[in-house]
Amino acid sequence: MHRRRALRVVALGASASLAGCFGMAHRTPPEEGELTVRNMDDEPHEVALTLSDGDETVLEESYDLDADRSSPKAIVEPATYDLSVTLDGGRTEQFEWDVTSCRSIGSVQIWDGGEIRFETSNC
């Protein structure tokens, strides 16, 4: 009799703790975009960003990044953006970034030889 009661208490405790985990798994992520610049090159670089949503510029920043360093995160609202990345005051690359209603992460990366990459991920 005591064994059945003990098993029932353990089963109830386990299901209560799992219920909390399942609740967390279905939580809606924040509706925003997060943009960073990372210098993956061995050399320092100046990286200028311009982010616009058509008619309006929503971000215009310049970062002097040493080797293997990142910029602070910039937070933006959901929209489709045009991203302009200028490296060391010279070459400019253009990208499109679709920040959805789910957290979107954009990462501008500077690689060896000044190669500019833009990678995104969404939840």
Side-chain angles (χ1 to χ4, degrees):
M1 192 70 147
H2 293 287
R3 182 171 175 236
R4 286 186 188 166
R5 183 173 179 213
L7 288 174
R8 187 174 24 200
V9 169
V10 169
L12 287 173
S15 61
S17 65
L18 287 176
C21 291
F22 289 130
M24 289 174 59
H26 295 294
R27 208 178 280 170
T28 304
E31 294 182 357
E32 58 189 20
E34 193 176 281
L35 180 64
T36 59
V37 181
R38 181 154 181 93
N39 183 7
M40 310 292 283
D41 197 355
D42 293 335
E43 300 294 323
H45 289 285
E46 177 188 355
V47 182
L49 301 180
T50 303
L51 191 66
S52 61
D53 64 356
D55 297 332
E56 183 180 352
T57 297
V58 295
L59 175 73
E60 193 165 21
E61 291 288 335
S62 183
Y63 304 100
D64 289 315
L65 297 176
D66 289 330
D68 200 33
R69 295 287 181 220
S70 296
S71 70
K73 295 176 184 170
I75 305 297
V76 296
E77 298 296 317
T80 298
Y81 295 100
D82 294 316
L83 173 63
S84 175
V85 181
T86 303
L87 185 64
D88 299 322
R91 185 169 50 92
T92 299
E93 298 277 342
Q94 305 286 332
F95 303 95
E96 185 176 282
W97 182 29
D98 187 26
V99 177
T100 63
S101 61
C102 174
R103 180 182 297 270
S104 295
I105 298 174
S107 175
V108 175
Q109 302 168 358
I110 309 304
W111 288 86
D112 293 337
E115 179 188 355
I116 301 171
R117 295 183 193 169
F118 181 61
E119 296 182 359
T120 64
S121 64
N122 297 322
C123 58

